[in-house]
Amino acid sequence: MTVEILQPALGTVIDVRNETTSGDVKRIVVEVPRSRTSGAAWAGPHRPGQCAMLSVFGVGECMISVSSSPPLVSGPGRPGATVERLEFAIKNAGRVTSAFHELEPGSPVGVRGPYGNGFPVDSWKGMSLLFAGGGIGMAPLRSVINYCLDRRDDYGPIRIVYGARSPGDLCFKDELFEKWPGVKGVQVDVTVDSGDETWPGPVGFVPQFTESLAPSPDGCVAVTCGPPVMIRVMLATLERIGFKPENVFTTLELKMQCGVGKCGRCNTGSKYVCVDGPVFTLAEMKTLPSEY
């Protein structure tokens, strides 16, 4: 049977929860059939850092990074399973994302993909890892962080630096304050742009906070994602600290529409973010137009 690459698979929402205090970011868990013999376009399992095109029927679709890590050998979505469970952190930022926030468990949702190159996690084996995220930019980082933690012996020390505008804007708090700090060889540092009476921790922007922690670039891979202005400052900060451009990774998720390199919406120079990215090294970024 011919598979229509733009035909979404029919997924089902199985859980919805608020990530932020204001509710402007929700975590949505979706189960989607993986079989391609049905004509559906989901071809998982995904790799960490890849994206999916999600659609609310009758409203529209948008590209969202998969925030869950690829499945191991057991559980829903394991290799060979016919169903994959995916998690997405979606910020209410427009008509389509607002429609996602109205979904409830049992709601149908369209899913196609996975799209993009993902992080080259095999090439990082044996190295130490630095993850620096800001706001909703933790969503794609969470996928690769949990992937590396699931394979903890393959990697060296792991440092996770994360920040948001306020304590209420921090996402994935259960992992940030409970799960990840409890893993051997993992250090978690959290900051906020502006604290309140409930916040006992550091206050400051992620790039400056990361620099104050003085991470060693020796044998280390750095991965960053966040608002565009944070990415720009963070990349410059990491290079100033001494990280090699080929060891610095970020993920871009702007302007993607078709997801298969046909519409030309996400191209920058000769690169299409949806098929050549969304993961790029700083060395690659230096060859792209300055719009990023």
Side-chain angles (χ1 to χ4, degrees):
M1 173 179 289
T2 300
V3 176
E4 297 294 338
I5 60 173
L6 297 182
Q7 178 182 337
L10 180 59
T12 302
V13 175
I14 62 172
D15 190 26
V16 180
R17 70 184 75 172
N18 287 331
E19 279 295 333
T20 57
T21 302
S22 67
D24 67 334
V25 177
K26 289 183 182 292
R27 186 189 313 189
I28 296 178
V29 184
V30 175
E31 279 193 348
V32 59
R34 188 184 290 165
S35 172
R36 295 179 65 85
T37 58
S38 66
W42 181 253
H46 66 287
R47 299 190 301 275
Q50 286 191 300
C51 303
M53 190 68 82
L54 297 183
S55 55
V56 177
F57 299 113
V59 180
E61 64 177 3
C62 57
M63 190 75 86
I64 305 290
S65 63
V66 183
S67 65
S68 51
S69 61
L72 290 170
V73 294
S74 61
R78 66 191 183 279
T82 58
V83 174
E84 187 163 352
R85 183 171 296 178
L86 305 168
E87 296 186 9
F88 304 91
I90 300 178
K91 186 179 181 65
N92 188 346
R95 184 173 62 91
V96 178
T97 53
S98 176
F100 280 113
H101 276 225
E102 298 300 320
L103 298 177
E104 298 177 346
S107 299
V109 63
V111 187
R112 58 184 177 93
Y115 295 124
N117 54 0
F119 292 102
V121 287
D122 287 341
S123 69
W124 300 350
K125 290 181 178 179
M127 302 184 74
S128 57
L129 306 175
L130 169 67
F131 298 98
I136 193 64
M138 178 53 79
L141 296 190
R142 176 182 182 248
S143 174
V144 67
I145 288 170
N146 281 329
Y147 178 94
C148 295
L149 295 185
D150 286 341
R151 299 154 181 82
R152 186 68 194 90
D153 292 342
D154 288 345
Y155 302 95
I158 295 176
R159 190 162 201 170
I160 301 166
V161 183
Y162 178 52
R165 291 176 301 176
S166 71
D169 291 311
L170 295 168
C171 297
F172 310 114
K173 296 182 184 67
D174 51 343
E175 291 165 317
L176 200 62
F177 295 113
E178 297 177 15
K179 177 184 174 182
W180 293 342
V183 179
K184 184 179 180 180
V186 176
Q187 182 172 346
V188 180
D189 297 284
V190 183
T191 183
V192 295
D193 298 351
S194 179
D196 58 23
E197 66 279 3
T198 69
W199 179 249
V203 175
F205 298 121
V206 173
Q208 291 83 357
F209 180 59
T210 303
E211 188 167 13
S212 73
L213 298 173
S216 172
D218 297 334
C220 185
V221 165
V223 188
T224 186
C225 187
V229 65
M230 193 214 87
I231 291 178
R232 286 196 293 272
V233 177
M234 194 72 229
L235 293 176
T237 299
L238 291 168
E239 192 168 28
R240 183 169 61 250
I241 291 173
F243 281 84
K244 298 177 180 177
E246 59 269 28
N247 285 343
V248 176
F249 295 81
T250 189
T251 175
L252 306 176
E253 298 178 17
L254 302 177
K255 301 179 183 178
M256 287 183 279
Q257 185 162 315
C258 71
V260 293
K262 301 296 184 183
C263 72
R265 187 73 185 277
C266 67
N267 68 297
T268 174
S270 61
K271 301 290 186 181
Y272 286 81
V273 174
C274 65
V275 293
D276 298 311
V279 174
F280 293 94
T281 65
L282 175 55
E284 292 173 310
M285 296 281 288
K286 289 176 178 290
T287 69
L288 300 179
S290 59
E291 60 188 280
Y292 290 118

